[in-house]
Amino acid sequence: MLKNIVLLLLIFAIFGVTSLIAPTFASGYNLDIMARWTGLYGIMAIGAAFVIIAGGIDLSMGSMVALIGVQFGILINDQQMNPYVAMVIVLVGAMLIGLGYGLLITKLKLQPFVVTLCGLLVLRSVARYLAHDDKISNFVSPDGGTDISFLTSADFLWIPLPLWMLLILGVLSALVLNKTTFGRYLKALGNNEQAARYSGINTDWITIAAYMVCSLMAGISAILFAIDLNSVGPNEAGTFYELYAIAAAVLGGCSLRGGTGSIVGVILGTAILRELYQAIETLQVSELEGTVIGFVILAGVIADEIIRRVVDARRRKQEAGAASG
């Protein structure tokens, strides 16, 4: 709770300082962009959180965004498919990719870093092959077809629909993580895989499910990014998006060692990253974007290490007190 309050105060602090330096930062246009893109990135970050809490990592989310976006555009443009049917098909495909990751990690005992790094290369390459290295555009509101542009452009109660989608998925994810057996098993797996296995938890299927959830969330984000931009380029779509997702999850309190994490924290972490990105754009220092993301991840890891040492020290002190008493 305290960490989430600190993140919320940080959001207000960044907003206040940047608005003082550049008053246009507080314009309605800027706020709308930040809210909409917080929704788009936040959905992907929630997926990353599931894998990180399970003690894994997914480096292929950006390439997943490119592949799913390209497939979505091709199905609508070339196959003249109803966009809602196309959404279901590409999301099932995304979950199958997550299933493949999970099977390689659990059954062949491959490192998640290696599996998803290979996925990063393979998915991007397949996207380029399917699109013949060309951009796919103008599939959101085709002549005589179904217009789906409202999914990212419309507002409800002055809040962009993507942010509503993030909030709904965030509530569902928080319930799964905190109120279900799957959520408890996921945290137990991240804390200590061997202990979780000895206590009777099917750790293989929990790991596989985490990667399927991560891929599904990346797929939903990919569709929304494609709709929002009305264009998908296989070379540039989703580039470095996995870093944003991981940074948001870490900043929001997900330990890279696994076992801990908060969906509320992930959403607040995403909001901070998008706010920082918009501040960088407003202040016209966009070349510092990578520096900011790097420092955010570093700060999250340092905070995680400090918290772990404090908790360990308290536990040892309590154990020593109990033994002497």
Side-chain angles (χ1 to χ4, degrees):
M1 178 60 78
L2 179 60
K3 186 178 291 185
N4 291 338
I5 292 174
V6 171
L7 291 174
L8 195 60
L9 292 175
L10 192 55
I11 290 174
F12 286 117
I14 295 170
F15 183 81
V17 171
T18 311
S19 298
L20 283 176
I21 299 172
T24 56
F25 183 71
S27 68
Y29 175 75
N30 253 356
L31 293 176
D32 182 73
I33 290 178
M34 283 190 282
R36 196 168 70 250
W37 281 66
T38 295
L40 300 179
Y41 279 97
I43 294 171
M44 192 166 52
I46 288 175
F50 271 83
V51 165
I52 291 173
I53 292 172
I57 194 79
D58 187 349
L59 300 177
S60 70
M61 298 182 79
S63 295
M64 179 81 79
V65 168
L67 177 60
I68 297 300
V70 163
Q71 289 177 323
F72 184 59
I74 289 175
L75 288 176
I76 297 175
N77 261 0
D78 297 352
Q79 307 299 321
Q80 301 293 306
M81 187 176 287
N82 179 287
Y84 298 107
V85 176
M87 286 181 195
V88 174
I89 291 175
V90 297
L91 289 180
V92 170
M95 291 180 71
L96 288 176
I97 293 172
L99 174 64
Y101 288 164
L103 289 173
L104 288 170
I105 292 166
T106 58
K107 302 305 179 185
L108 294 183
K109 307 300 180 188
L110 301 180
Q111 288 296 318
F113 175 86
V114 175
V115 172
T116 57
L117 181 62
C118 293
L120 179 150
L121 299 172
V122 171
L123 299 185
R124 177 75 63 181
S125 177
V126 173
R128 292 180 59 188
Y129 173 78
L130 291 176
H132 306 292
D133 262 350
D134 291 331
K135 275 191 176 182
I136 302 171
S137 306
N138 302 320
F139 51 85
V140 171
S141 51
D143 293 336
T146 304
D147 188 341
I148 52 173
S149 60
F150 72 95
L151 288 172
T152 57
S153 62
D155 292 350
F156 177 67
L157 297 177
W158 302 282
I159 297 176
L161 280 187
L163 191 57
W164 280 112
M165 295 178 197
L166 170 64
L167 296 175
I168 292 170
L169 288 172
V171 169
L172 293 175
S173 300
L175 289 174
V176 169
L177 200 59
N178 299 312
K179 300 296 182 182
T180 67
T181 303
F182 172 76
R184 291 193 294 275
Y185 285 179
L186 192 73
K187 292 179 181 177
L189 168 65
N191 273 320
N192 190 323
E193 183 177 0
Q194 194 172 24
R197 190 181 301 116
Y198 286 154
S199 64
I201 298 174
N202 189 333
T203 55
D204 284 0
W205 283 109
I206 297 296
T207 301
I208 291 170
Y211 277 94
M212 291 179 71
V213 170
C214 182
S215 296
L216 174 64
M217 293 295 188
I220 294 173
S221 284
I223 291 171
L224 294 176
F225 276 121
I227 294 172
D228 191 61
L229 299 172
N230 195 17
S231 173
V232 180
N235 286 304
E236 62 270 17
T239 304
F240 297 134
Y241 282 15
E242 62 276 353
L243 297 184
Y244 278 106
I246 293 170
V250 171
L251 185 62
C254 292
S255 170
L256 287 174
R257 292 184 177 82
T260 59
S262 152
I263 298 300
V264 174
V266 172
I267 293 175
L268 292 175
T270 307
I272 289 174
L273 283 177
R274 293 315 308 169
E275 191 180 30
L276 284 172
Y277 177 84
Q278 203 62 29
I280 289 169
E281 290 289 315
T282 304
L283 297 174
Q284 299 181 342
V285 286
S286 56
E287 61 272 15
L288 293 178
E289 180 187 350
T291 305
V292 171
I293 300 301
F295 274 117
V296 165
I297 295 177
L298 189 60
V301 172
I302 291 173
D304 175 49
E305 180 64 24
I306 292 173
I307 291 172
R308 185 186 67 82
R309 292 185 182 185
V310 170
V311 170
D312 286 348
R314 282 184 181 176
R315 186 184 299 122
R316 284 195 296 271
K317 188 175 181 181
Q318 289 173 350
E319 289 173 352
S324 61

